[in-house]
Amino acid sequence: MAIPVEAFFLTGGTAGTLQSRIRAMVTEGILAGRFRPGQKMPSSRGLAEHLGVSRITVTLAYADLVSSDYLTARGRSGYFVSDNAPRAPEFPAAERPAEEVDYGALSARRYTRAMAGVDRPEDWEKFPYPFIYGQTDPTLFDHQNWRACALRALGRRDFASLTSDFYERDDPLLIEQILRVILPRRGIAARGDEVLLTLGAQNALWLAATVLLGPGRQAVVENPCYPGLRRILQTSGAGVASVDVDEAGLPPRLPPADVVFTTASHQCPTNATMPLDRRLQLLDAASREDFVVVEDDYEFEMSFLKPVSPALKSLDKGGRVIYAGSFSKSIFPGMRLGYLVGPPAFIAEARALRSMVLKHPPGHIQRTVAYFLAEGHYDALINRMRNAFRRRRQVMDDAISEHGLTVAGQGGFGGSSFWMAAPEGVDTEPLAQVLRADGVLIEPGRGFFDPAREERRFYRLAYSSIAPARIPDGIARIARALARSG
Amino acid sequence: MAIPVEAFFLTGGTAGTLQSRIRAMVTEGILAGRFRPGQKMPSSRGLAEHLGVSRITVTLAYADLVSSDYLTARGRSGYFVSDNAPRAPEFPAAERPAEEVDYGALSARRYTRAMAGVDRPEDWEKFPYPFIYGQTDPTLFDHQNWRACALRALGRRDFASLTSDFYERDDPLLIEQILRVILPRRGIAARGDEVLLTLGAQNALWLAATVLLGPGRQAVVENPCYPGLRRILQTSGAGVASVDVDEAGLPPRLPPADVVFTTASHQCPTNATMPLDRRLQLLDAASREDFVVVEDDYEFEMSFLKPVSPALKSLDKGGRVIYAGSFSKSIFPGMRLGYLVGPPAFIAEARALRSMVLKHPPGHIQRTVAYFLAEGHYDALINRMRNAFRRRRQVMDDAISEHGLTVAGQGGFGGSSFWMAAPEGVDTEPLAQVLRADGVLIEPGRGFFDPAREERRFYRLAYSSIAPARIPDGIARIARALARSG
């Protein structure tokens, strides 16, 4: 590939003759690794015009660079970066500009600090026993129909509507599918101005928290809970109270709050389902004590053991429940598409905030998902996943019993994971390191807990990405590691 | 399409017999518009099992609904929502749940208020004279190759890397293209840990402002400036000082600041280019007075009149410049992909913040753009756009001269718009309304200015989306409207 002429500038402050300055630009680019062996240089005429210097100056600089092996001349084809050109050092730390600004101090490292403890190997697919949560199993995904829908959404007819900047409304086809197909399954009747598309569930929770919270406000969150939510609340400026869940999820007596975050249908990570009476109590309390409930309804599609319980939102008579849903668990996580459902005044605020932060989710993805839903591929995929997860769960159950591991929470509806307890005194973080060396990936539980009430003996075992045939051996390895660490 | 059985719930609190409650569920769904004429109902057996009631109860409820015309029975095919079923009212405002919560008060309407004044018709493409900024011209876009790249990125080989959740790194192929192809054109030598992909330029600016600003900090911004940036700063909690630009952009003497936002190469909206000596003064001041500069380098690709000036970032010796770039202007805006370049400590903070807010831009889009760049389609597209814009600009220039309109800023490098001044006393917002009725879309200038120093006589005319043959007539219509309003 040719190096564009725009890659070259003569800055005012540099000393030396024009010829030596041109030479320095080229060598600097090669040494910095910007220009690679084999790349074509601009013509001497082109570079001369671009820099506003005479052509002979460039020609002389090029000749000099050829003699020093930075460039080679290939007759009428022009000049190329030489294959023998001095190489960029592999670790060119010394070449970084001096950093005069302490960015860590400027931002108080608030965001990197909040991310500490996130640790999932990028190459998790290379591990034979990945009991890892929330990733796609490529053997279950309906690649062919996804591709067909994406292709249809790439068609010329859809192009105009998908390439424009639009923030006032989302893709009407997808909104219709969510209103007609998805939400009714959760017992939710909503209208167009009550739904906002988001960049995945994380973005939905962040938008809700940012609209509803801030300094002087008070949030209540489940303990343990989804670590991504805890991070959001930690940097929101609001006070945060963690309330321990029991086998029925969030208990009904809560400390004073402006906003309560709950995973009522499928507590994360314990898998508990909040019973109907407790749900009604929570909504009564919300009305009596004037707080708002944010319901993260992740993974409801994976209820394969019993019919799914209705969403909290379906029982909401006062517009007090903000509902967050996502296609990340049911289609695939890297797609980044979720949604919020709430009263129009809330949705308007969240839409304006979304617009300020990222404008809108990419149009092409919205339309692809709309087709995937409308053509029924989504239902077929969910069905296939349910059947596979039901079988895997049985294999997990058998292996866990056989090896005498302790289940701390499994829920009664399905899902894709078990919440496990190691024996007293075991720290599951070093355990996870030991297991990783043995090809087994587990998720240590510490990150789910309020740091002030840290628990280290829990861990999560997901079965959404592991081949069923691998499960027994993987569980056996965990049991052996636990026996050694006891 | 069949209505899923999960769409039906019996909640605890409802009065009446089981049969009447089932009937109410169905009629409510039909009246609310969730169940549409022609949709198939669950079988009586399936619904009975799902609800845990006897089958005869469901059968009796269905029979009742047939007699009241909500449902029709089609022999052995089952029950369907009747074509004559009572219709959902068109504006069913009365059916909304009571809203007990004043969400506007809860959030102080901070986000919707900041969005006030944004007004671009969604159907701008239907207007014959759309002098509208930043939208894609479908006649210039390389649809075929974009589609080919998207298709390649949808291939099974890329699937694993594109569907996973990953936040530590972005698509390595795209990062390499940005480091090797895009940034060198701006004179910028960067490494992988100095680049972060964002969800478009808006997201890049928001991430930078959020990491660098907050209560107690001070921002300086150009006046006029990009309204999307002003909105971000307005809600950042920081103090904001607007500094009037002149014909060379942001002047060198600035009030005290922690962060200065500038569009040095191509001032938005005046098109002014900051000369080199002023750039060096700005960087000297940043070092002396210890502030950071955020450079929004939008639209640099559209320098077709003169070689583009180097980015401020290319002159940055102290790691004081944060650079924001985007593919929205050069590929298409709805794609939502941009990037930040800055010192590693800053990028780490911005990456952690991005992860908290939205995890990461969708993998499929990252890979598609990487292919589009690597295969040279991007360069070809830019080249085609430059040539088209050069011609259109000439037509604009001629028509503007012929009709005696006043150009307030056009810059010397190219771009895609003219910044215009109406005669003293003209308010361009009512002018825009009058012109819209005449098929002409212009952008009134008020939104670009600091509200405390409101200017109403400016407007922007972009030529990126209008057919060249329409330009003379469009300008003539503007001139006539101005003559009438004078």
Side-chain angles (χ1 to χ4, degrees):
Chain A
M1 195 178 297
I3 302 168
V5 76
E6 294 85 357
F8 298 89
F9 297 109
L10 285 175
T11 54
T14 321
T17 63
L18 272 177
Q19 186 185 321
S20 71
R21 283 161 65 193
I22 291 168
R23 189 182 183 285
M25 284 191 307
V26 176
T27 57
E28 192 271 333
I30 292 173
L31 286 172
R34 284 187 292 139
F35 310 151
R36 305 291 177 93
Q39 283 191 300
K40 189 177 188 310
M41 296 292 293
S43 70
S44 54
R45 181 193 302 273
L47 186 59
E49 275 174 14
H50 171 71
L51 297 174
V53 303
S54 77
R55 193 177 167 191
I56 185 74
T57 307
V58 176
T59 310
L60 288 173
Y62 276 10
D64 191 21
L65 287 161
V66 168
S67 72
S68 57
D69 235 7
Y70 276 94
L71 302 182
T72 48
R74 298 193 195 150
R76 300 185 68 86
S77 309
Y79 291 87
F80 292 79
V81 177
S82 163
D83 288 338
N84 307 317
R87 298 284 289 274
E90 283 293 304
F91 302 100
E95 289 182 25
R96 287 188 191 283
E99 283 184 20
E100 295 175 1
V101 186
D102 181 355
Y103 285 94
L106 200 56
S107 66
R109 296 183 54 74
R110 16 180 213 284
Y111 305 111
T112 43
R113 264 194 318 186
M115 291 303 291
V118 177
D119 180 25
R120 165 181 297 169
E122 246 179 52
D123 58 345
W124 63 266
E125 285 171 292
K126 296 190 184 131
F127 287 77
Y129 310 103
F131 291 104
I132 200 165
Y133 186 83
Q135 300 304 310
T136 312
D137 184 337
T139 65
L140 295 177
F141 187 68
D142 181 358
H143 197 83
Q144 193 173 346
N145 280 312
W146 177 257
R147 203 161 179 247
C149 291
L151 210 63
R152 191 172 153 205
L154 280 166
R156 209 171 277 272
R157 229 173 19 159
D158 285 341
F159 185 73
S161 73
L162 302 182
T163 51
S164 288
D165 253 346
F166 56 112
Y167 79 97
E168 283 293 353
R169 57 179 192 117
D170 294 310
D171 184 354
L173 290 193
L174 179 54
I175 293 294
E176 193 195 353
Q177 288 297 316
I178 290 173
L179 295 177
R180 285 189 55 192
V181 179
I182 303 287
L183 293 179
R185 297 181 184 183
R186 310 299 294 120
I188 301 170
R191 295 188 177 74
D193 60 354
E194 295 173 314
V195 179
L196 179 73
L197 294 182
T198 66
L199 215 82
Q202 178 79 24
N203 187 230
L205 292 173
W206 183 85
L207 288 167
T210 306
V211 166
L212 299 172
L213 291 173
R217 302 260 166 84
Q218 187 67 32
V220 162
V221 67
E222 298 167 341
N223 189 48
C225 83
Y226 168 52
L229 173 61
R230 197 184 301 286
R231 265 173 236 134
I232 289 170
L233 298 181
Q234 222 175 305
T235 57
S236 71
V240 182
S242 293
V243 173
D244 289 346
V245 300
D246 58 26
E247 67 295 339
L250 191 68
R253 293 180 63 93
L254 298 173
D258 298 295
V259 187
V260 172
F261 291 84
T262 182
T263 46
S265 297
H266 201 92
Q267 206 276 328
C268 173
T270 68
N271 297 313
T273 296
M274 193 187 287
L276 185 61
D277 58 340
R278 207 180 253 200
R279 289 171 190 240
L280 295 172
Q281 282 172 23
L282 177 62
L283 293 176
D284 279 353
S287 193
R288 211 170 46 242
E289 297 161 27
D290 196 20
F291 60 81
V292 172
V293 178
V294 176
E295 174 182 28
D296 177 4
D297 195 36
Y298 80 106
E299 218 182 46
F300 72 84
E301 307 89 345
M302 288 306 119
S303 293
F304 45 76
L305 298 177
K306 271 198 278 185
V308 65
S309 57
L312 256 187
K313 178 72 185 158
S314 74
L315 306 169
D316 175 30
K317 303 293 178 212
R320 292 201 168 270
V321 179
I322 308 296
Y323 176 94
S326 163
F327 296 106
S328 292
K329 298 289 174 286
S330 50
I331 303 182
F332 57 82
M335 185 183 62
R336 314 293 327 127
L337 203 62
Y339 47 94
L340 281 170
V341 185
F346 166 82
I347 291 294
E349 276 291 287
R351 185 183 302 278
L353 174 60
R354 186 192 75 177
S355 174
M356 184 178 303
V357 170
L358 57 81
K359 288 201 172 170
H360 57 78
H364 174 251
I365 292 174
Q366 299 186 31
R367 184 59 55 92
T368 303
V369 173
Y371 287 150
F372 200 72
L373 287 164
E375 295 177 8
H377 307 307
Y378 177 80
D379 285 328
L381 173 64
I382 296 296
N383 206 34
R384 193 159 52 242
M385 286 169 73
R386 278 181 181 162
N387 289 333
F389 286 10
R390 185 188 290 117
R391 284 193 303 272
R392 286 184 200 174
R393 187 185 171 92
Q394 190 56 55
V395 179
M396 290 284 290
D397 237 349
D398 295 346
I400 285 169
S401 304
E402 189 191 326
H403 293 282
L405 301 187
T406 308
V407 176
Q410 57 183 304
F413 289 83
S416 62
S417 66
F418 288 78
W419 181 238
M420 306 293 293
E424 285 291 351
V426 172
D427 181 342
T428 53
E429 288 193 342
L431 177 75
Q433 290 305 322
V434 167
L435 282 166
R436 190 186 285 204
D438 195 26
V440 183
L441 295 176
I442 67 167
E443 291 183 302
R446 185 172 66 95
F448 295 92
F449 287 95
D450 183 344
R453 300 205 293 280
E454 206 171 83
E455 295 267 10
R456 292 178 165 270
R457 73 187 189 95
F458 293 94
Y459 60 107
R460 183 162 68 171
L461 293 183
Y463 45 86
S464 44
S465 301
I466 187 168
R470 298 275 200 177
I471 290 174
D473 192 19
I475 298 289
R477 280 161 195 254
I478 294 169
R480 280 202 296 275
L482 279 170
R484 277 196 300 270
S485 73
Chain B
M1 194 178 299
I3 301 168
V5 77
E6 293 84 358
F8 299 91
F9 297 107
L10 285 175
T11 55
T14 321
T17 64
L18 272 177
Q19 185 185 322
S20 72
R21 283 161 65 192
I22 292 167
R23 189 183 183 288
M25 282 191 308
V26 176
T27 56
E28 191 271 335
I30 292 172
L31 286 171
R34 285 186 292 140
F35 310 151
R36 306 291 179 92
Q39 282 191 300
K40 188 176 189 310
M41 295 293 291
S43 71
S44 55
R45 180 194 301 275
L47 186 59
E49 275 175 14
H50 171 71
L51 297 174
V53 303
S54 77
R55 193 175 167 191
I56 186 74
T57 309
V58 175
T59 309
L60 288 172
Y62 276 8
D64 191 21
L65 287 160
V66 169
S67 71
S68 58
D69 237 6
Y70 277 94
L71 302 183
T72 47
R74 296 193 197 150
R76 300 186 67 85
S77 307
Y79 292 88
F80 292 79
V81 177
S82 164
D83 288 338
N84 308 317
R87 297 286 289 273
E90 282 294 303
F91 302 101
E95 290 183 25
R96 287 188 190 283
E99 283 185 22
E100 295 175 1
V101 186
D102 182 353
Y103 285 94
L106 200 56
S107 66
R109 296 183 53 76
R110 16 180 214 283
Y111 305 112
T112 42
R113 264 193 318 183
M115 291 303 290
V118 176
D119 181 24
R120 164 183 297 170
E122 246 178 51
D123 58 345
W124 64 268
E125 285 170 292
K126 296 191 184 130
F127 287 77
Y129 311 102
F131 291 105
I132 200 164
Y133 185 82
Q135 299 304 312
T136 311
D137 184 337
T139 65
L140 296 177
F141 187 68
D142 181 358
H143 197 83
Q144 193 172 345
N145 281 312
W146 176 259
R147 203 161 180 248
C149 290
L151 210 63
R152 192 174 152 202
L154 280 166
R156 209 172 276 273
R157 231 174 17 159
D158 284 342
F159 185 72
S161 74
L162 303 181
T163 50
S164 289
D165 253 347
F166 56 111
Y167 81 98
E168 282 292 355
R169 56 179 195 118
D170 295 311
D171 184 352
L173 291 192
L174 180 54
I175 294 294
E176 193 195 352
Q177 288 296 316
I178 291 173
L179 295 178
R180 285 189 55 190
V181 179
I182 303 287
L183 293 179
R185 296 179 185 185
R186 309 299 294 121
I188 300 170
R191 295 189 176 73
D193 60 355
E194 294 172 314
V195 179
L196 179 74
L197 295 182
T198 66
L199 215 83
Q202 178 80 23
N203 187 230
L205 292 173
W206 182 86
L207 288 168
T210 306
V211 166
L212 299 172
L213 291 172
R217 302 262 166 85
Q218 187 65 32
V220 163
V221 66
E222 297 167 341
N223 189 48
C225 82
Y226 168 53
L229 174 62
R230 198 185 300 285
R231 265 173 237 133
I232 290 170
L233 298 181
Q234 223 175 303
T235 57
S236 71
V240 182
S242 292
V243 173
D244 289 347
V245 300
D246 58 27
E247 67 295 337
L250 191 67
R253 291 180 64 95
L254 299 173
D258 297 297
V259 187
V260 172
F261 292 82
T262 182
T263 46
S265 298
H266 201 92
Q267 208 277 328
C268 172
T270 68
N271 297 312
T273 296
M274 193 187 287
L276 186 62
D277 57 340
R278 208 179 252 201
R279 288 171 190 240
L280 295 172
Q281 281 172 24
L282 177 62
L283 293 176
D284 279 353
S287 193
R288 210 171 45 243
E289 295 162 28
D290 194 20
F291 60 81
V292 171
V293 178
V294 176
E295 175 182 27
D296 178 3
D297 195 37
Y298 80 106
E299 217 182 49
F300 72 84
E301 306 89 345
M302 288 306 121
S303 294
F304 46 76
L305 298 177
K306 271 198 279 185
V308 64
S309 58
L312 255 187
K313 179 70 184 159
S314 73
L315 307 169
D316 174 29
K317 303 294 178 210
R320 292 201 169 270
V321 179
I322 308 297
Y323 175 95
S326 163
F327 296 105
S328 293
K329 300 287 175 287
S330 49
I331 303 183
F332 57 82
M335 183 183 63
R336 315 294 324 128
L337 203 61
Y339 47 93
L340 280 170
V341 185
F346 166 82
I347 291 295
E349 276 291 287
R351 183 183 302 277
L353 174 59
R354 185 192 75 177
S355 173
M356 184 177 303
V357 170
L358 57 82
K359 288 202 172 170
H360 56 79
H364 174 250
I365 292 174
Q366 299 186 32
R367 185 57 57 92
T368 303
V369 173
Y371 287 150
F372 200 71
L373 286 164
E375 295 177 8
H377 307 308
Y378 177 81
D379 285 327
L381 173 64
I382 296 297
N383 204 37
R384 192 160 54 243
M385 287 170 74
R386 278 182 181 161
N387 289 332
F389 286 10
R390 185 189 291 117
R391 284 192 303 271
R392 286 184 201 175
R393 187 185 171 92
Q394 189 57 55
V395 179
M396 292 283 290
D397 238 350
D398 295 347
I400 286 169
S401 303
E402 187 190 327
H403 292 282
L405 300 187
T406 307
V407 176
Q410 57 183 306
F413 289 82
S416 62
S417 67
F418 289 76
W419 181 238
M420 307 291 294
E424 284 291 352
V426 172
D427 182 341
T428 53
E429 288 193 345
L431 176 74
Q433 290 304 323
V434 167
L435 281 166
R436 189 186 285 204
D438 196 25
V440 183
L441 295 176
I442 67 167
E443 291 183 301
R446 184 172 68 94
F448 295 92
F449 287 95
D450 183 344
R453 301 206 291 281
E454 206 171 83
E455 295 267 11
R456 290 177 166 271
R457 71 186 190 95
F458 293 94
Y459 60 107
R460 183 162 68 170
L461 293 183
Y463 46 88
S464 44
S465 301
I466 188 169
R470 299 275 200 178
I471 290 173
D473 192 17
I475 297 290
R477 280 162 195 254
I478 295 168
R480 282 202 295 276
L482 278 170
R484 278 197 300 272
S485 73

